[in-house]
Amino acid sequence: MDGIKSLSEYLKRIERINNDWSVYFSTTKPWYRGQSDFDWNLTPKIYRFNGNSRFERERTRDFILNASNFHHYVYESEFESMFSMQHYGVSTRLLDWSESSLIALYFAVLDYNLGKDGVVWVLNPWTLNLITFDSWTVPTYKHVKLQKYLLGDSNDINRVPAGKSPVALRPNRATPRIMAQKGMFTIHGKEQTPLNEFVDKHNITETPDEIKLVKLKISSSSKLKILRELYVAGITHSVLFPELAGIAHEINFKYSSDYIDNIKSPRK
């Protein structure tokens, strides 16, 4: 299957999915996740390397102890610290999703020199939670049933959560990055199967309740073109990373040969 080659083509595909899923009158719209490599699974960073999850509790502890030096937000729960950790690059059991299809596309094309087709995953979180959460809802992180997905504060040597299968949840958007990126999350439990493989396995059974997950290929050769189209549409690095580092990245790209040398001259 050929990959998507333009922003307009992408938007048509997104509109088709929304129509097929009849979500326009739903209170929960699809979630989107962009990845730079089409072949990557939906696996949380902490489960991508053998043994990497052993020190999850220590990661959380160290982050909480040091994060207060950079902002005044007080983490009132393990989930709140986990959301912030995820957005600043610490390995967690979370996967980032966005309510914006354009933001997801941005992350799929950002690494345009990788030489790989990108991907945007489209998920209906209601259909996931109907199977894994036993409820037609996407709860906030404070829901009591989600506590089994945390390690807790006890000194128990058991370092795996009680929760098993992936669940979609709504975070508090306490940091500028999460707010700007319209962040949502799925969280894995102790089962390390990639989310896409979990969905495929479920959907081949005879159950009528299908988990809706679509994979859109983004053409490698069109990544830079699409990134430029997103910049024209106002989806830029400083918008998604509202901080000095985001502004610096955006300035460097706007005045790079990759950006400027690919601008076509207007027709006479």
Side-chain angles (χ1 to χ4, degrees):
M1 179 181 66
D2 291 336
I4 291 170
K5 294 181 173 61
S6 68
L7 177 57
S8 60
E9 181 184 355
Y10 174 76
L11 291 174
K12 289 178 182 177
R13 295 286 297 275
I14 294 298
E15 182 180 18
R16 190 182 312 158
I17 291 170
N18 278 270
N19 284 327
D20 290 345
W21 290 359
S22 302
V23 299
Y24 283 112
F25 299 101
S26 169
T27 57
T28 296
K29 303 299 190 289
W31 293 0
Y32 307 90
R33 175 177 171 82
Q35 297 181 166
S36 57
D37 191 330
F38 182 80
D39 294 325
W40 287 349
N41 287 319
L42 291 173
T43 307
K45 188 183 294 185
I46 206 166
Y47 285 158
R48 292 177 196 168
F49 306 102
N50 292 333
N52 205 19
S53 62
R54 285 188 303 148
F55 300 107
E56 179 179 357
R57 183 173 296 165
E58 287 76 10
R59 283 186 174 89
T60 303
R61 177 201 63 201
D62 289 359
F63 184 84
I64 292 173
L65 290 175
N66 289 283
S68 60
N69 292 319
F70 299 94
H71 61 74
H72 299 294
Y73 183 77
V74 177
Y75 299 111
E76 297 180 352
S77 72
E78 189 178 338
F79 265 127
E80 291 180 7
S81 59
M82 194 182 297
F83 299 148
S84 188
M85 289 165 62
Q86 177 69 13
H87 266 263
Y88 285 99
V90 181
S91 299
T92 73
R93 284 179 284 111
L94 295 170
L95 282 174
D96 299 278
W97 297 82
S98 175
E99 293 182 295
S100 168
S101 61
L102 295 183
I103 290 173
L105 180 62
Y106 184 88
F107 285 109
V109 302
L110 181 59
D111 194 353
Y112 54 87
N113 286 320
L114 184 63
K116 301 279 188 178
D117 290 329
V119 59
V120 172
W121 296 92
V122 188
L123 170 71
N124 184 326
W126 271 1
T127 63
L128 173 65
N129 282 10
L130 181 62
I131 303 304
T132 63
F133 197 65
D134 196 28
S135 181
W136 190 255
T137 186
V138 181
T140 70
Y141 69 102
K142 292 185 176 181
H143 197 291
V144 64
K145 286 175 64 175
L146 289 172
Q147 298 308 302
K148 63 184 179 180
Y149 283 85
L150 301 175
L151 297 183
D153 297 324
S154 71
N155 293 320
D156 192 335
I157 61 172
N158 184 13
R159 291 177 176 267
V160 295
K164 182 181 178 182
S165 302
V167 169
L169 69 152
R170 303 177 191 270
N172 64 330
R173 291 173 174 168
T175 67
R177 284 191 184 186
I178 298 177
M179 177 62 74
Q181 296 173 21
K182 297 184 179 294
M184 293 293 193
F185 294 103
T186 54
I187 185 169
H188 271 57
K190 58 187 174 184
E191 185 177 285
Q192 300 188 20
T193 304
L195 177 58
N196 53 298
E197 293 183 5
F198 172 84
V199 171
D200 288 343
K201 183 177 179 180
H202 169 78
N203 287 350
I204 63 173
T205 66
E206 296 180 0
T207 176
D209 298 317
E210 182 181 72
I211 301 173
K212 296 187 182 299
L213 179 69
V214 171
K215 186 177 186 182
L216 300 178
K217 180 185 288 187
I218 311 300
S219 172
S220 172
S221 61
S222 299
K223 280 185 176 181
L224 179 58
K225 172 179 179 289
I226 293 173
L227 184 59
R228 288 188 57 256
E229 291 175 331
L230 286 170
Y231 262 66
V232 171
I235 306 298
T236 67
H237 210 77
S238 68
V239 171
L240 304 187
F241 298 90
E243 56 209 35
L244 283 176
I247 294 172
H249 185 286
E250 181 174 321
I251 291 172
N252 285 335
F253 178 66
K254 283 176 63 178
Y255 298 102
S256 68
S257 58
D258 281 346
Y259 188 89
I260 294 175
D261 292 352
N262 283 276
I263 297 177
K264 295 181 179 179
S265 301
R267 294 180 178 178
K268 300 294 186 180

